[in-house]
Amino acid sequence: MAGQSIVVLAVIAIIGTISCLPCVSCFTATTTVRSFALSNPQHSFFSTKATETEETELQSSLDSASSRIEDCKRTLINQCNSHKLESGYSSSIDSSIRNLEQLGEDLGFGQASSVSGLLSGKWELIYASDDITRSSPFFWAFRRAFPDNSDQIFSITDAIPEPIKMVGPATQEIDLDASSRGTFVSRVKVATLGGVATSIMTTRAAIMGAEGVDGLRLKVESTKPEESTILKKLGPLGELINSNSQPFPSGEALERAAPGSSEVVMVTTYLDEGLRVTRNKDRSDDDVFVWVRVGDFGGGNTASL
C-alpha cells in the first residue's frame, strides 16, 4: 500500500507541474507622556515645552523609520516586477528580501505575523526562489514524505522548457480566525502545449495554529486539478465530470508514506497590509516567496506601491 501511495503522489507532483509585535503607536507614546505630565503638577511651563519637544522628536523618529521601510519595500517590489516569475532565484532580490526582514525586525515593522490580523485575504505570488509550483504546501509536504526521491522527481518536470510547460500565476487564500486556526487554499495555474491545455492545481490545507509569533502550521488535506480546459471542451459533459470529481486525499496518502509529513510550517518573516514574505521552515534558505495582496485592505488597494 505504501508503494502505491508513493506512485500516486509522484504522479500528482508531476501532473501538478505539467498540466515582534505590531509597531509602537505614536498615539500610545504621546498619551503616555501627556498622562505623566498631568499626574505631576509640579512640572512647570518649561517641562511642558520639553514634553512637546519629546513628542515631536518621537513623531519624527517614527516617520523616519516608516520612510526607510517604504523605500526598502519599493525597491523589492520593483525588482520583483522586473524579474520573470518563472526565472527562479535572484541574488539581488534575495538581498533586498533580507534587508527588508532585518530592517523590519530592527524597527518593529511587519512582525508577529501569526497574531497581527493581517494574513487573511487573497495573495498573488510575485517572486519565487524556486519553481513556482514550490509555493504550494503540497510540495513542501511531498519533500518531507520522500526526502530521498523528491528532488529527482521535481527535476524531471522542472527541465521541461517553455512553451511546452508554462506555470503561473499562483495565488493563496488565507482565512484565519482569532485563535490562528482556519483554512488555506493554494492555486497554481499550469499550462501545457503552448497553452492548449490548462488547469489550476489546487491544494487545500487546514491551518492548525500558530508556531511562535511568525509561523503557521498547515496540514495538507487534498489536491485537485480544477478548471481544466480539456474538460471544458467537452461542454456539459466536461462540466459534469469536473464538478463531480473528488479531490485526491493527498494528505492521507502522505501520512501513509511518512507519518507527520502532511504537516508543514509556513514562516512569514515580513507582513503588512499589502506585502508578505514567506519561507518554508524546513528549507528557510531555499524556499523564499514574495506575495502582494489582491484587492483592498482597510479601504485602500495595497497590491502595489
Side-chain angles (χ1 to χ4, degrees):
M1 182 63 96
Q4 293 177 344
S5 297
I6 293 175
V7 172
V8 172
L9 285 166
V11 170
I12 287 181
I14 293 174
I15 291 176
T17 51
I18 294 180
S19 44
C20 224
L21 299 174
C23 63
V24 176
S25 165
C26 178
F27 173 79
T28 302
T30 301
T31 301
T32 301
V33 171
R34 286 176 174 165
S35 297
F36 175 79
L38 290 173
S39 63
N40 291 270
Q42 69 272 22
H43 280 254
S44 64
F45 166 80
F46 298 101
S47 64
T48 301
K49 296 295 288 185
T51 299
E52 292 176 354
T53 300
E54 291 170 358
E55 292 177 5
T56 301
E57 291 176 349
L58 174 59
Q59 183 62 56
S60 177
S61 177
L62 290 173
D63 290 343
S64 175
S66 178
S67 178
R68 292 171 63 190
I69 287 288
E70 290 303 314
D71 287 344
C72 195
K73 286 169 51 181
R74 187 175 293 106
T75 297
L76 173 58
I77 291 176
N78 287 339
Q79 287 177 323
C80 291
N81 289 339
S82 300
H83 179 77
K84 290 183 65 176
L85 180 58
E86 61 272 22
S87 297
Y89 176 80
S90 163
S91 59
S92 59
I93 292 178
D94 184 72
S95 178
S96 293
I97 290 172
R98 293 181 185 277
N99 287 342
L100 178 61
E101 290 172 331
Q102 187 61 58
L103 190 61
E105 184 177 345
D106 291 344
L107 300 178
F109 282 77
Q111 305 301 294
S113 58
S114 300
V115 295
S116 67
L118 299 177
L119 269 173
S120 291
K122 184 175 181 180
W123 300 84
E124 181 173 356
L125 185 69
I126 62 171
Y127 172 75
S129 61
D130 202 340
D131 189 86
I132 298 170
T133 58
R134 295 322 174 263
S135 64
S136 169
F138 167 76
F139 289 90
W140 302 3
F142 190 91
R143 282 189 187 277
R144 290 175 61 84
F146 308 105
D148 298 327
N149 303 319
S150 57
D151 284 338
Q152 182 180 2
I153 293 172
F154 294 161
S155 66
I156 295 173
T157 55
D158 290 350
I160 300 174
E162 293 185 20
I164 298 176
K165 181 200 74 173
M166 294 180 290
V167 184
T171 62
Q172 291 181 349
E173 292 185 45
I174 302 172
D175 187 4
L176 197 63
D177 63 21
S179 63
S180 297
R181 300 176 70 88
T183 58
F184 184 100
V185 182
S186 167
R187 293 185 173 91
V188 181
K189 183 177 181 180
V190 180
T192 58
L193 304 176
V196 174
T198 65
S199 63
I200 308 296
M201 294 307 300
T202 303
T203 294
R204 300 178 186 276
I207 302 175
M208 308 300 289
E211 289 270 327
V213 296
D214 59 3
L216 288 179
R217 178 165 293 277
L218 310 178
K219 183 176 179 61
V220 174
E221 294 181 331
S222 66
T223 304
K224 178 185 178 183
E226 299 179 345
E227 301 180 25
S228 168
T229 54
I230 298 298
L231 289 179
K232 287 181 179 179
K233 290 179 180 179
L234 298 178
L237 175 61
E239 291 294 333
L240 180 65
I241 294 173
N242 185 60
S243 60
N244 286 279
S245 61
Q246 296 298 312
F248 177 74
S250 50
E252 293 181 12
L254 288 164
E255 286 296 318
R256 293 194 191 102
S261 61
S262 67
E263 294 190 17
V264 296
V265 176
M266 178 184 74
V267 178
T268 300
T269 55
Y270 181 87
L271 172 70
D272 61 23
E273 291 86 348
L275 185 69
R276 177 165 67 98
V277 177
T278 60
R279 296 176 180 267
N280 172 6
K281 185 178 180 180
D282 288 343
R283 290 164 47 89
S284 60
D285 288 333
D286 299 309
D287 290 349
V288 188
F289 309 95
V290 180
W291 306 81
V292 290
R293 187 183 297 277
V294 177
D296 297 347
F297 183 90
N301 191 302
T302 55
S304 61
L305 293 175

